[in-house]
Short mmCIF file of all heavy atoms in Angstrom, two decimals:
data_model
loop_
_atom_site.label_atom_id
_atom_site.label_comp_id
_atom_site.label_asym_id
_atom_site.label_seq_id
_atom_site.Cartn_x
_atom_site.Cartn_y
_atom_site.Cartn_z
N ILE A 1 117.44 152.85 20.40
CA ILE A 1 117.69 151.44 20.67
C ILE A 1 117.47 151.17 22.16
O ILE A 1 117.96 151.91 23.01
CB ILE A 1 119.13 151.03 20.30
CG1 ILE A 1 119.40 151.26 18.82
CG2 ILE A 1 119.38 149.55 20.66
CD1 ILE A 1 120.85 151.04 18.43
N ALA A 2 116.73 150.12 22.47
CA ALA A 2 116.55 149.69 23.86
C ALA A 2 116.98 148.24 23.96
O ALA A 2 116.56 147.40 23.15
CB ALA A 2 115.09 149.83 24.29
N VAL A 3 117.83 147.92 24.93
CA VAL A 3 118.29 146.55 25.15
C VAL A 3 117.35 145.90 26.16
O VAL A 3 117.05 146.47 27.21
CB VAL A 3 119.74 146.53 25.66
CG1 VAL A 3 120.23 145.09 25.85
CG2 VAL A 3 120.65 147.26 24.66
N VAL A 4 116.88 144.70 25.83
CA VAL A 4 115.82 144.06 26.60
C VAL A 4 116.23 142.64 26.99
O VAL A 4 116.71 141.88 26.15
CB VAL A 4 114.50 143.99 25.79
CG1 VAL A 4 113.38 143.42 26.65
CG2 VAL A 4 114.13 145.35 25.24
N ARG A 5 116.00 142.29 28.24
CA ARG A 5 116.25 140.91 28.69
C ARG A 5 114.95 140.11 28.55
O ARG A 5 113.90 140.48 29.07
CB ARG A 5 116.72 140.90 30.14
CG ARG A 5 116.91 139.47 30.70
CD ARG A 5 117.65 139.50 32.02
NE ARG A 5 116.97 140.29 33.03
CZ ARG A 5 115.99 139.83 33.80
NH1 ARG A 5 115.53 138.60 33.65
NH2 ARG A 5 115.44 140.62 34.71
N GLY A 6 115.05 138.99 27.85
CA GLY A 6 113.89 138.12 27.70
C GLY A 6 114.15 136.77 28.34
O GLY A 6 115.12 136.59 29.09
N GLU A 7 113.28 135.83 28.05
CA GLU A 7 113.44 134.46 28.51
C GLU A 7 113.46 133.55 27.29
O GLU A 7 113.03 133.94 26.20
CB GLU A 7 112.30 134.07 29.45
CG GLU A 7 112.23 134.92 30.70
CD GLU A 7 111.03 134.55 31.57
OE1 GLU A 7 110.97 133.38 32.00
OE2 GLU A 7 110.18 135.42 31.79
N ALA A 8 113.94 132.32 27.45
CA ALA A 8 114.09 131.42 26.31
C ALA A 8 112.77 131.16 25.59
O ALA A 8 112.75 130.92 24.39
CB ALA A 8 114.71 130.10 26.77
N HIS A 9 111.66 131.25 26.31
CA HIS A 9 110.35 130.97 25.72
C HIS A 9 109.49 132.22 25.59
O HIS A 9 108.33 132.13 25.16
CB HIS A 9 109.58 129.96 26.58
CG HIS A 9 109.17 130.53 27.90
ND1 HIS A 9 110.07 130.78 28.91
CD2 HIS A 9 107.96 130.96 28.35
CE1 HIS A 9 109.43 131.33 29.93
NE2 HIS A 9 108.15 131.45 29.62
N ASP A 10 110.05 133.39 25.96
CA ASP A 10 109.22 134.59 26.04
C ASP A 10 110.11 135.83 25.92
O ASP A 10 110.93 136.10 26.78
CB ASP A 10 108.50 134.61 27.39
CG ASP A 10 107.53 135.77 27.55
OD1 ASP A 10 107.45 136.62 26.64
OD2 ASP A 10 106.85 135.83 28.59
N PRO A 11 109.94 136.63 24.84
CA PRO A 11 110.79 137.82 24.68
C PRO A 11 110.46 138.94 25.65
O PRO A 11 111.23 139.89 25.77
CB PRO A 11 110.54 138.24 23.23
CG PRO A 11 109.18 137.72 22.92
CD PRO A 11 109.05 136.43 23.69
N ARG A 12 109.32 138.86 26.32
CA ARG A 12 108.92 139.86 27.33
C ARG A 12 108.88 141.28 26.75
O ARG A 12 109.47 142.21 27.31
CB ARG A 12 109.86 139.79 28.54
CG ARG A 12 109.94 138.45 29.24
CD ARG A 12 108.72 138.15 30.07
NE ARG A 12 108.53 139.12 31.13
CZ ARG A 12 109.10 139.02 32.34
NH1 ARG A 12 109.88 137.99 32.61
NH2 ARG A 12 108.86 139.93 33.26
N LEU A 13 108.19 141.42 25.62
CA LEU A 13 108.07 142.72 24.95
C LEU A 13 106.65 143.26 25.09
O LEU A 13 105.70 142.49 25.23
CB LEU A 13 108.44 142.57 23.47
CG LEU A 13 109.88 142.11 23.21
CD1 LEU A 13 110.09 141.85 21.72
CD2 LEU A 13 110.89 143.13 23.72
N PRO A 14 106.48 144.59 25.04
CA PRO A 14 105.16 145.18 25.24
C PRO A 14 104.13 144.70 24.22
O PRO A 14 104.45 144.48 23.05
CB PRO A 14 105.43 146.69 25.07
CG PRO A 14 106.88 146.85 25.37
CD PRO A 14 107.54 145.60 24.87
N ALA A 15 102.91 144.56 24.66
CA ALA A 15 101.82 144.08 23.80
C ALA A 15 101.57 145.04 22.65
O ALA A 15 101.61 146.27 22.81
CB ALA A 15 100.55 143.90 24.63
N ALA A 16 101.33 144.48 21.47
CA ALA A 16 100.95 145.24 20.27
C ALA A 16 101.89 146.41 19.99
O ALA A 16 101.44 147.49 19.62
CB ALA A 16 99.51 145.73 20.40
N SER A 17 103.19 146.18 20.16
CA SER A 17 104.15 147.27 20.02
C SER A 17 105.01 147.19 18.76
O SER A 17 105.65 148.17 18.38
CB SER A 17 105.08 147.30 21.23
OG SER A 17 105.85 146.10 21.32
N LEU A 18 105.04 146.04 18.09
CA LEU A 18 106.01 145.81 17.02
C LEU A 18 105.38 145.79 15.62
O LEU A 18 104.39 145.10 15.38
CB LEU A 18 106.73 144.48 17.24
CG LEU A 18 107.46 144.29 18.56
CD1 LEU A 18 108.02 142.88 18.64
CD2 LEU A 18 108.57 145.32 18.72
N ASP A 19 106.03 146.51 14.70
CA ASP A 19 105.66 146.39 13.29
C ASP A 19 106.30 145.14 12.69
O ASP A 19 105.73 144.52 11.78
CB ASP A 19 106.14 147.62 12.52
CG ASP A 19 105.46 148.89 12.98
OD1 ASP A 19 104.25 149.03 12.70
OD2 ASP A 19 106.12 149.74 13.61
N ALA A 20 107.49 144.80 13.18
CA ALA A 20 108.20 143.64 12.65
C ALA A 20 109.20 143.14 13.67
O ALA A 20 109.62 143.87 14.58
CB ALA A 20 108.92 144.01 11.34
N ALA A 21 109.59 141.87 13.51
CA ALA A 21 110.61 141.27 14.37
C ALA A 21 111.48 140.38 13.50
O ALA A 21 111.01 139.78 12.53
CB ALA A 21 109.98 140.45 15.49
N VAL A 22 112.77 140.32 13.84
CA VAL A 22 113.68 139.43 13.12
C VAL A 22 114.32 138.46 14.11
O VAL A 22 114.62 138.81 15.25
CB VAL A 22 114.77 140.20 12.36
CG1 VAL A 22 114.16 141.03 11.23
CG2 VAL A 22 115.59 141.10 13.29
N LEU A 23 114.49 137.23 13.65
CA LEU A 23 115.20 136.20 14.40
C LEU A 23 116.30 135.70 13.47
O LEU A 23 116.02 135.01 12.48
CB LEU A 23 114.27 135.05 14.80
CG LEU A 23 113.15 135.36 15.81
CD1 LEU A 23 111.96 136.03 15.12
CD2 LEU A 23 112.69 134.08 16.50
N VAL A 24 117.52 136.09 13.73
CA VAL A 24 118.61 135.89 12.77
C VAL A 24 119.57 134.81 13.22
O VAL A 24 120.26 134.96 14.24
CB VAL A 24 119.36 137.23 12.54
CG1 VAL A 24 120.48 137.03 11.51
CG2 VAL A 24 118.40 138.31 12.05
N HIS A 25 119.62 133.74 12.46
CA HIS A 25 120.55 132.62 12.72
C HIS A 25 120.51 132.18 14.18
O HIS A 25 121.56 131.92 14.79
CB HIS A 25 121.98 133.00 12.31
CG HIS A 25 122.13 133.13 10.83
ND1 HIS A 25 122.05 132.05 9.97
CD2 HIS A 25 122.32 134.21 10.04
CE1 HIS A 25 122.21 132.47 8.73
NE2 HIS A 25 122.36 133.77 8.74
N MET A 26 119.32 132.08 14.72
CA MET A 26 119.18 131.63 16.11
C MET A 26 117.93 130.78 16.34
O MET A 26 117.75 130.23 17.42
CB MET A 26 119.16 132.83 17.08
CG MET A 26 118.13 133.91 16.79
SD MET A 26 116.42 133.48 17.21
CE MET A 26 116.48 133.46 18.97
N TYR A 27 117.07 130.63 15.31
CA TYR A 27 115.85 129.86 15.52
C TYR A 27 116.15 128.45 16.00
O TYR A 27 115.45 127.91 16.87
CB TYR A 27 115.02 129.82 14.23
CG TYR A 27 113.66 129.18 14.44
CD1 TYR A 27 112.59 129.92 14.92
CD2 TYR A 27 113.47 127.82 14.19
CE1 TYR A 27 111.36 129.33 15.15
CE2 TYR A 27 112.24 127.22 14.42
CZ TYR A 27 111.19 127.98 14.90
OH TYR A 27 109.97 127.38 15.15
N HIS A 28 117.20 127.85 15.47
CA HIS A 28 117.59 126.49 15.83
C HIS A 28 118.09 126.38 17.27
O HIS A 28 118.26 125.29 17.79
CB HIS A 28 118.68 125.98 14.87
CG HIS A 28 119.80 126.94 14.71
ND1 HIS A 28 119.82 127.92 13.72
CD2 HIS A 28 120.95 127.12 15.41
CE1 HIS A 28 120.93 128.63 13.82
NE2 HIS A 28 121.62 128.18 14.84
N GLU A 29 118.33 127.53 17.92
CA GLU A 29 118.79 127.55 19.31
C GLU A 29 117.63 127.73 20.30
O GLU A 29 117.85 127.74 21.52
CB GLU A 29 119.80 128.69 19.51
CG GLU A 29 121.06 128.52 18.67
CD GLU A 29 121.97 129.74 18.72
OE1 GLU A 29 121.53 130.79 19.24
OE2 GLU A 29 123.11 129.66 18.23
N ILE A 30 116.42 127.89 19.80
CA ILE A 30 115.27 128.13 20.67
C ILE A 30 114.80 126.80 21.26
O ILE A 30 114.37 125.90 20.54
CB ILE A 30 114.12 128.80 19.89
CG1 ILE A 30 114.59 130.13 19.31
CG2 ILE A 30 112.93 129.02 20.81
CD1 ILE A 30 113.58 130.77 18.37
N SER A 31 114.87 126.70 22.57
CA SER A 31 114.53 125.45 23.23
C SER A 31 113.02 125.21 23.29
O SER A 31 112.57 124.07 23.38
CB SER A 31 115.12 125.42 24.65
OG SER A 31 114.63 126.51 25.41
N GLN A 32 112.23 126.29 23.26
CA GLN A 32 110.77 126.17 23.31
C GLN A 32 110.18 127.08 22.23
O GLN A 32 109.67 128.18 22.52
CB GLN A 32 110.24 126.53 24.69
CG GLN A 32 108.73 126.42 24.87
CD GLN A 32 108.10 125.25 24.16
OE1 GLN A 32 107.68 125.35 23.01
NE2 GLN A 32 108.05 124.11 24.84
N PRO A 33 110.26 126.65 20.95
CA PRO A 33 109.80 127.51 19.86
C PRO A 33 108.31 127.84 19.91
O PRO A 33 107.91 128.96 19.59
CB PRO A 33 110.15 126.71 18.60
CG PRO A 33 110.23 125.29 19.05
CD PRO A 33 110.77 125.36 20.45
N TYR A 34 107.49 126.88 20.33
CA TYR A 34 106.04 127.14 20.35
C TYR A 34 105.69 128.20 21.39
O TYR A 34 104.85 129.07 21.15
CB TYR A 34 105.28 125.85 20.61
CG TYR A 34 105.62 124.77 19.61
CD1 TYR A 34 106.36 123.65 19.98
CD2 TYR A 34 105.24 124.88 18.27
CE1 TYR A 34 106.70 122.66 19.05
CE2 TYR A 34 105.57 123.91 17.34
CZ TYR A 34 106.31 122.80 17.74
OH TYR A 34 106.65 121.84 16.82
N GLY A 35 106.36 128.16 22.53
CA GLY A 35 106.14 129.17 23.55
C GLY A 35 106.64 130.53 23.11
O GLY A 35 105.96 131.56 23.30
N LEU A 36 107.83 130.57 22.53
CA LEU A 36 108.39 131.85 22.08
C LEU A 36 107.50 132.48 21.01
O LEU A 36 107.20 133.69 21.08
CB LEU A 36 109.80 131.66 21.54
CG LEU A 36 110.45 132.95 21.04
CD1 LEU A 36 110.83 133.83 22.23
CD2 LEU A 36 111.67 132.68 20.19
N LEU A 37 107.08 131.69 20.04
CA LEU A 37 106.25 132.23 18.97
C LEU A 37 104.90 132.70 19.51
O LEU A 37 104.38 133.74 19.08
CB LEU A 37 106.05 131.17 17.89
CG LEU A 37 107.30 130.80 17.09
CD1 LEU A 37 107.04 129.56 16.23
CD2 LEU A 37 107.75 131.96 16.21
N HIS A 38 104.34 131.96 20.44
CA HIS A 38 103.06 132.34 21.04
C HIS A 38 103.19 133.68 21.77
O HIS A 38 102.36 134.59 21.58
CB HIS A 38 102.61 131.25 22.02
CG HIS A 38 101.29 131.50 22.66
ND1 HIS A 38 100.10 130.99 22.16
CD2 HIS A 38 100.95 132.21 23.77
CE1 HIS A 38 99.10 131.38 22.92
NE2 HIS A 38 99.59 132.11 23.91
N ASN A 39 104.21 133.80 22.60
CA ASN A 39 104.38 135.03 23.38
C ASN A 39 104.84 136.20 22.52
O ASN A 39 104.49 137.35 22.80
CB ASN A 39 105.36 134.78 24.52
CG ASN A 39 104.78 133.87 25.59
OD1 ASN A 39 103.60 133.98 25.95
ND2 ASN A 39 105.59 132.95 26.11
N LEU A 40 105.61 135.92 21.46
CA LEU A 40 106.03 136.98 20.55
C LEU A 40 104.82 137.55 19.81
O LEU A 40 104.74 138.76 19.57
CB LEU A 40 107.06 136.44 19.54
CG LEU A 40 107.48 137.40 18.42
CD1 LEU A 40 108.12 138.67 18.99
CD2 LEU A 40 108.46 136.70 17.47
N ALA A 41 103.88 136.69 19.43
CA ALA A 41 102.70 137.16 18.69
C ALA A 41 101.94 138.23 19.45
O ALA A 41 101.38 139.15 18.85
CB ALA A 41 101.78 135.97 18.38
N ALA A 42 101.94 138.13 20.77
CA ALA A 42 101.23 139.13 21.59
C ALA A 42 101.87 140.51 21.47
O ALA A 42 101.22 141.53 21.71
CB ALA A 42 101.20 138.69 23.04
N ALA A 43 103.16 140.55 21.12
CA ALA A 43 103.87 141.82 21.00
C ALA A 43 103.74 142.46 19.62
O ALA A 43 104.14 143.61 19.43
CB ALA A 43 105.35 141.63 21.32
N MET A 44 103.15 141.72 18.67
CA MET A 44 103.05 142.22 17.30
C MET A 44 101.79 143.06 17.09
O MET A 44 100.73 142.76 17.63
CB MET A 44 103.05 141.05 16.32
CG MET A 44 104.22 140.08 16.45
SD MET A 44 105.85 140.84 16.25
CE MET A 44 105.74 141.45 14.57
N LYS A 45 101.92 144.11 16.30
CA LYS A 45 100.75 144.87 15.88
C LYS A 45 99.97 144.04 14.85
O LYS A 45 100.50 143.09 14.28
CB LYS A 45 101.19 146.19 15.23
CG LYS A 45 101.89 147.16 16.17
CD LYS A 45 102.31 148.41 15.42
CE LYS A 45 103.06 149.39 16.32
NZ LYS A 45 103.51 150.61 15.59
N PRO A 46 98.71 144.37 14.61
CA PRO A 46 97.94 143.65 13.58
C PRO A 46 98.68 143.68 12.25
O PRO A 46 99.11 144.74 11.78
CB PRO A 46 96.63 144.43 13.52
CG PRO A 46 96.48 145.02 14.88
CD PRO A 46 97.87 145.38 15.31
#
């Protein structure tokens, strides 16, 4: 387990590193969903 500090619009995770990601009971708290989703996509594997 690694604890990571992100930003409201950017999780700041390594590129192409994730098989999956979960957002649990917090999507409605995201102030900039389009930015977060855009930047999260860069961290996902194909």
Side-chain angles (χ1 to χ4, degrees):
I1 300 173
V3 181
V4 184
R5 176 168 59 84
E7 299 177 60
H9 69 288
D10 184 356
R12 302 285 299 273
L13 298 174
S17 63
L18 303 175
D19 296 290
V22 294
L23 294 80
V24 181
H25 291 292
M26 54 74 70
Y27 187 84
H28 49 270
E29 298 172 349
I30 301 172
S31 59
Q32 181 38 269
Y34 304 109
L36 180 73
L37 292 169
H38 182 94
N39 290 320
L40 174 60
M44 306 302 298
K45 295 178 182 178

